Amino acid sequence: MKFTNARPIILASASPRRKEILSLLGLPFTVQPSHVSEDIEMTTDDFAGYARELASKKTMAIAEDYGDHIVIGADTIVVHEGKHYPKPESKEQAKLFLRELSGKTHAVITGVGIFVGGTLRVFSVETAVTFRELDDILLDAYVESGDPMDKAGGYGIQTAGALLVEKIEGDYFNVMGLPIARLTEHLRRLALINLKEGDPFIDY
């Protein structure tokens, strides 16, 4: 498949994983990290809404200077039993996170913002991830590898963190940080990308 795009695309994220996923569309795009703080106080138990809020802020931080572009921003959070698990600040915190998630099912929620033509649209996708019962040797070795330190929840499903996972229910790429199938659906419906002339867009 080869898509074409109606306007230049900017990915408002420094994440190499999101860059890799967006590249699946085969479209040219530039990366412009937003550098928006992720330390926004969570004043609600609406975790999906929180992820959408962060995605909105990241998207708009770049869109302000690139109004004629398609700007895509995203934020991914990990949640279990009403608790938010951000990127760990230390190896000790990473171990704590992973021990608490061991043998349990948690939610990975990604909020995505799309800005174009003066309008921001935001959506979120949730995937359920179940961890195996983690033994201390595996857990310690994974944390010592350094892999957990830049990832929400303290693990990456696309790296050695896959060894911690029993199963997932939902979008694998959402766990990586960008639900590309849903994003593609939105971009096509907005007539921002297409496969060929006459592609049946549904503008909304």
Side-chain angles (χ1 to χ4, degrees):
M1 289 189 296
K2 184 174 178 58
F3 288 93
T4 58
N5 49 302
R7 303 187 185 201
I9 298 173
I10 295 177
L11 176 62
S13 173
S15 166
R17 296 168 291 279
R18 293 193 180 109
K19 180 180 179 181
E20 175 186 352
I21 296 169
L22 189 58
S23 296
L24 294 174
L25 296 181
L27 292 169
F29 64 91
T30 57
V31 174
Q32 188 75 20
S34 64
H35 302 299
V36 168
S37 172
E38 297 179 1
D39 296 328
I40 299 173
E41 182 180 359
M42 187 179 296
T43 58
T44 175
D45 58 1
D46 178 10
F47 293 106
Y50 177 74
R52 291 192 296 269
E53 179 183 1
L54 285 171
S56 298
K57 291 181 180 297
K58 290 183 176 183
T59 304
M60 293 308 299
I62 300 302
E64 291 174 357
D65 297 322
Y66 295 92
D68 58 340
H69 287 58
I70 302 165
V71 181
I72 300 168
D75 191 84
T76 301
I77 63 173
V78 171
V79 178
H80 175 60
E81 293 184 347
K83 179 179 178 180
H84 173 216
Y85 291 78
K87 297 173 183 176
E89 298 179 355
S90 65
K91 289 182 177 179
E92 290 71 24
Q93 189 175 51
K95 290 179 183 179
L96 175 63
F97 285 178
L98 296 176
R99 286 195 178 99
E100 290 184 359
L101 297 175
S102 175
K104 299 173 183 175
T105 300
H106 61 270
V108 179
I109 306 169
T110 299
V112 180
I114 304 169
F115 176 89
V116 65
T119 301
L120 173 69
R121 295 172 174 84
V122 188
F123 66 93
S124 58
V125 174
E126 181 172 332
T127 302
V129 179
T130 302
F131 270 10
R132 299 177 181 278
E133 291 285 352
L134 307 180
D135 63 83
D136 288 340
I137 293 177
L138 176 63
L139 190 153
D140 290 346
Y142 178 60
V143 171
E144 288 302 318
S145 74
D147 190 63
M149 302 313 297
D150 65 338
K151 299 172 179 67
Y155 76 98
I157 197 168
Q158 74 285 354
T159 57
L163 304 179
L164 314 179
V165 176
E166 178 73 34
K167 65 177 180 178
I168 73 168
E169 296 177 58
D171 187 338
Y172 171 85
F173 289 104
N174 183 56
V175 184
M176 282 184 65
L178 190 66
I180 189 64
R182 185 73 62 84
L183 174 60
T184 301
E185 178 184 346
H186 280 268
L187 293 174
R188 291 186 70 206
R189 285 180 173 175
L190 291 167
L192 298 177
I193 65 172
N194 63 25
L195 286 167
K196 62 181 181 179
E197 187 176 352
D199 200 356
F201 297 117
I202 306 171
D203 197 4
Y204 71 105

